[in-house]
Amino acid sequence: MNNIPNRQAICDVLLEEAKTDRDIVVLCSDSRGSASMTPFSVAYPEQFVEVGIAEQSLVSISAGLARCGKKPYCASPACFLSTRSMEQGKVDAAYSNTNVKLIGVSGGISYGALGMTHHSAQDIATMSSIPNMRVYLPSDRHQTRKLIQALLKDEKPAYIRVGRNPVEDVYEEENTPFEMDKATWIKEGTDVAIIACGEMVKPAKDAACLLEKDGISASVLDMYCVKPMDEASVVKAAEKARLVVTAEEHTFIGGMGSRVAQIVSEHCPRKVICMALPDAPTIPGKSQEVFAYYGLSGEGIAKKVKENL
Amino acid sequence: MDNLTAKSFALRQDVLNMIYRAKTGHIGGDFSVLNIILTLYEKQMNTRPDNVSSPDRDRFILSKGHSVEALYAVLADQGFFPKSALETYSQFGSNYIGHPYNKINGIEMNSGSLGHGLSVGVGMALAGRMDKKDYRTYVVMGDGELAEGSVWEGAMAGGHYKLDNLCAVVDRNRLQISGCTEDVMSHENLAKRWESFGWNVIDVEKGWDIPSLNAAFEEAKQCKGKPSVIIAHTIKGYGVSFMENQAVWHHKVPTDEEYQLAMEELKAKEAAANE
Ligand SMILES: Cc1ncc(C[n+]2csc(CCOP(=O)(O)OP(=O)(O)O)c2C)c(N)n1
């Protein structure tokens, strides 16, 4: 079982790249530990900025740095980055089009029983609704690596959400398919299209295996690029199937599934079921307990597919 | 020593048990803030289980919501809910989560995102003035929390409206997650900063000492025409020597051995205070 969380994979890439790129700057808001950025702060103290518990200032300082040629990666819990500093993300990063990379760590319900203040079950909705803000939810550490390497090459703002805990590998280290802003096809099938992002990709893949045993053929799409969404892949997957099921660690309002439903209803109408979190504080508990409760597991997704085919 | 000191060590045992059982929690800040909360509920506020809905009750906001275990221990002791509820802390389906949740009897406001409490307190104090009520509003913040700009927006409003029915407390333990507050984001001249926002500042050198805290709250009550802030110089992890002043104990969970050691020390201190 993998024990490297995606947040650590981000730090690893930045550590490697900072060797030759002195413009990479990591910023934290008393969050270097939770963001796995302590190794970076130790290795490159000159390229590290601590702003204290001040997430709004965190994003604005990043924008200032970016406007002066730096490549800021500001890493803070996704809950605060996507709501408290949403306006700084909207105005200073997206609207002014600065090269600010917002790294939202411990996203979704990673923080479990810490409650709704610490959950970011609406970050896809808030960040995606901002023009010029891209939104990425990588599924495993290998894909996270490739994504950060790709993001280092562009100069536009982006929001990247990763979870707190290590997640099982979806891909093999030496063989991780990745094309920027194109969904990864994990499996092609004819009965149902399962589209997932972030930590829900692994359960989606598991669900497809379970369904296969019952003779149900599923496509599985890893839609790590929630915005800009790979519309062509959504349409292709939906066209082949009778049913579309989306799975995400987010409320069903304004998330990845909502966008999929818009695309499907416009281009190839099919029934779309959005598996997601409720429009309410989630039941208290550890993230795995909470996922199980809402059916956001391999079994849960497979069950939902069977009920609706 | 008085009995409240003994009680404070007993309640620390409840906190330790909660965190050890659930394997999660913020023990360092719990132990630095506990005597502040205890003094308020025992000696200052009129808030009781039988008047939680009374418009005249004093209001308490734990703005540094991560120290909720200390609040739970005090509220259980005051009878707001049975002590057995503490056993459900952080368990699946329990409302006793890791930050204040106002589905629980006695909790006014949800918190956990730092930097909200002071402005909420300003609202409560303004309402009290509008309704000509005598209740007081207390807001407890961490010193790391003071880096949030919103704290100073609240401070500005409190000073502007001369809210002498509002009392803020800063749990000045000089530590936050990443280390010493003065290294992370310094608060030089903290008292002068508050004064310049129009606040009456009361320093409590021994921020764990219940009589000193009580005297400070009395002094705050006497101050008219401006809000008061008590800067309580506390010790993070207070009561368990190996946790004191150590940044790692912000949210470290004690091992079996550490649990035993901590429990022994707290029991010994409780017994000594009872003598
Ligand atoms: C807005 C916000 N940002 C970040 C956090 C994460 N966090 C929880 S506790 C903490 C440190 C708090 O330090 P301090 O206020 O000094 O509290 P204490 O040391 O008394 O525990 C941080 C950064 C949070 N809860 N809210």
Side-chain angles (χ1 to χ4, degrees):
Chain A
M1 175 72 191
N2 163 51
N3 58 8
I4 298 174
N6 294 350
R7 56 196 166 111
Q8 190 180 326
I10 297 177
C11 182
D12 289 344
V13 175
L14 296 177
L15 275 171
E16 287 157 24
E17 300 292 328
K19 274 185 207 146
T20 49
D21 191 342
R22 307 301 290 181
D23 285 332
I24 293 174
V25 181
V26 170
L27 295 95
C28 285
S29 53
D30 199 13
S31 52
R32 68 185 80 167
S34 41
S36 301
M37 288 296 182
T38 307
F40 192 98
S41 71
V42 173
Y44 299 102
E46 318 267 274
Q47 286 165 256
F48 179 81
V49 179
E50 171 61 70
V51 306
I53 309 172
E55 295 80 6
Q56 295 173 294
S57 173
L58 174 79
V59 176
S60 298
I61 292 174
S62 300
L65 284 164
R67 192 78 183 102
C68 297
K70 300 294 173 196
K71 299 173 183 166
Y73 281 72
C74 62
S76 187
C79 51
F80 309 126
L81 211 46
S82 63
T83 51
R84 190 184 207 109
S85 40
M86 184 187 172
E87 186 175 276
Q88 283 72 14
K90 173 188 158 196
V91 176
D92 304 329
Y95 186 38
S96 291
N97 192 28
T98 52
N99 182 14
V100 174
K101 303 299 190 311
L102 304 162
I103 311 288
V105 299
S106 303
I109 52 156
S110 298
Y111 279 127
L114 288 186
M116 197 175 111
T117 56
H118 281 60
H119 295 167
S120 59
Q122 45 285 116
D123 55 348
I124 296 178
T126 60
M127 300 315 273
S128 297
S129 65
I130 299 172
N132 197 37
M133 181 63 78
R134 296 170 294 163
V135 175
Y136 299 102
L137 279 79
S139 57
D140 78 352
R141 59 186 168 137
H142 304 307
Q143 190 188 55
T144 302
R145 235 190 122 71
K146 297 234 163 164
L147 172 67
I148 299 299
Q149 284 165 342
L151 287 169
L152 275 160
K153 296 198 183 81
D154 70 45
E155 298 191 339
K156 295 172 293 182
Y159 171 75
I160 301 97
R161 185 237 269 195
V162 289
R164 179 171 179 77
N165 304 315
V167 279
E168 274 183 65
D169 288 345
V170 175
Y171 307 104
E172 289 159 15
E173 180 160 11
E174 301 303 325
N175 185 20
T176 302
F178 183 85
E179 200 183 332
M180 190 59 169
D181 295 334
K182 294 278 178 280
T184 301
W185 284 79
I186 293 178
K187 206 172 163 302
E188 289 198 42
T190 49
D191 294 316
V192 57
I194 307 175
I195 305 178
C197 60
E199 289 196 25
M200 284 302 127
V201 174
K202 184 67 175 57
K205 197 177 163 187
D206 294 345
C209 289
L210 291 172
L211 290 167
E212 197 162 12
K213 286 182 194 144
D214 292 330
I216 298 169
S217 155
S219 291
V220 179
L221 272 191
D222 178 344
M223 191 59 71
Y224 76 87
C225 44
V226 172
K227 189 189 168 194
M229 188 170 281
D230 177 1
E231 297 193 19
S233 288
V234 172
V235 173
K236 186 179 154 198
E239 272 176 343
K240 298 205 298 182
R242 286 178 282 146
L243 171 72
V244 177
V245 172
T246 65
E248 63 191 311
E249 187 180 353
H250 190 271
T251 118
F252 63 87
I253 296 174
M256 184 268 299
S258 314
R259 184 73 195 113
V260 166
Q262 288 173 340
I263 295 167
V264 172
S265 63
E266 184 174 345
H267 298 287
C268 53
R270 298 280 186 283
K271 183 168 181 179
V272 179
I273 310 252
C274 296
M275 295 190 68
L277 296 167
D279 179 30
T282 52
I283 189 163
K286 296 191 185 72
S287 53
Q288 290 310 321
E289 295 170 331
V290 177
F291 288 149
Y293 183 80
Y294 294 114
L296 292 167
S297 59
E299 298 80 40
I301 296 170
K303 185 164 169 263
K304 192 61 117 191
V305 169
K306 284 194 252 174
E307 281 167 9
N308 287 280
L309 259 183
Chain B
M1 287 213 229
D2 56 63
N3 272 333
L4 277 189
T5 302
K7 183 180 262 189
S8 79
F9 289 117
L11 295 183
R12 279 180 175 75
Q13 295 166 40
D14 295 339
V15 169
L16 179 64
N17 279 327
M18 267 184 261
I19 290 173
Y20 177 67
R21 203 183 295 116
K23 303 289 177 241
T24 178
H26 293 84
I27 201 160
D30 286 337
F31 284 3
S32 75
V33 82
L34 195 142
N35 292 18
I36 296 168
I37 303 176
L38 183 63
T39 306
L40 281 170
Y41 277 89
E42 285 276 354
K43 299 234 173 225
Q44 291 293 327
M45 299 199 304
N46 65 13
T47 321
R48 298 280 169 266
D50 57 16
N51 75 347
V52 281
S53 329
S54 157
D56 294 312
R57 71 191 183 280
D58 291 325
R59 308 302 203 273
F60 177 77
I61 301 170
L62 186 62
S63 191
K64 48 167 276 188
H66 58 280
S67 297
V68 74
E69 299 87 5
L71 179 59
Y72 289 157
V74 172
L75 290 180
D77 180 63
Q78 298 285 315
F80 285 89
F81 45 79
K83 203 167 157 178
S84 59
L86 302 180
E87 286 165 27
T88 72
Y89 162 72
S90 276
Q91 300 304 306
F92 181 68
S94 165
N95 283 336
Y96 294 81
I97 58 175
H99 290 104
Y101 196 19
N102 62 9
K103 288 193 173 170
I104 294 171
N105 197 34
I107 290 184
E108 291 280 352
M109 290 296 289
N110 295 343
S111 60
S113 179
L114 297 165
H116 290 226
L118 189 58
S119 294
V120 175
V122 166
M124 291 176 168
L126 280 171
R129 178 181 286 173
M130 289 169 188
D131 293 344
K132 304 203 169 31
K133 297 276 181 203
D134 289 331
Y135 68 78
R136 291 180 65 73
T137 299
Y138 294 94
V139 179
V140 176
M141 292 173 285
D143 50 0
E145 179 180 0
L146 301 184
E148 288 288 1
S150 53
V151 170
W152 300 99
E153 295 174 23
M156 219 177 298
H160 178 79
Y161 288 107
K162 304 186 184 351
L163 295 172
D164 52 18
N165 52 353
L166 175 65
C167 179
V169 184
V170 177
D171 179 358
R172 182 75 168 121
N173 56 33
R174 296 188 163 260
L175 287 176
Q176 57 190 105
I177 298 181
S178 309
C180 175
T181 47
E182 303 317 282
D183 296 332
V184 175
M185 189 52 62
S186 59
H187 298 301
E188 244 175 277
N189 294 324
L190 186 57
K192 286 213 181 91
R193 287 189 193 190
W194 282 98
E195 271 161 20
S196 71
F197 278 76
W199 288 61
N200 170 44
V201 181
I202 304 167
D203 262 295
V204 177
E205 288 309 324
K206 291 185 193 164
W208 56 89
D209 181 60
I210 292 168
S212 306
L213 287 167
N214 196 41
F217 285 121
E218 284 301 323
E219 191 182 328
K221 248 192 240 169
Q222 303 313 318
C223 174
K224 297 295 167 207
K226 48 172 135 170
S228 289
V229 57
I230 294 173
I231 301 178
H233 297 270
T234 52
I235 293 173
K236 204 160 171 172
Y238 180 76
V240 175
S241 41
F242 65 85
M243 293 183 186
E244 290 183 356
N245 292 316
Q246 302 295 321
V248 288
W249 283 103
H250 178 77
H251 52 192
K252 188 173 181 295
V253 174
T255 61
D256 297 350
E257 204 188 351
E258 286 164 342
Y259 169 78
Q260 296 301 344
L261 280 173
M263 197 46 100
E264 274 166 33
E265 184 171 344
L266 291 171
K267 286 203 161 116
K269 286 182 172 163
E270 184 191 354
N274 265 328
E275 264 169 27

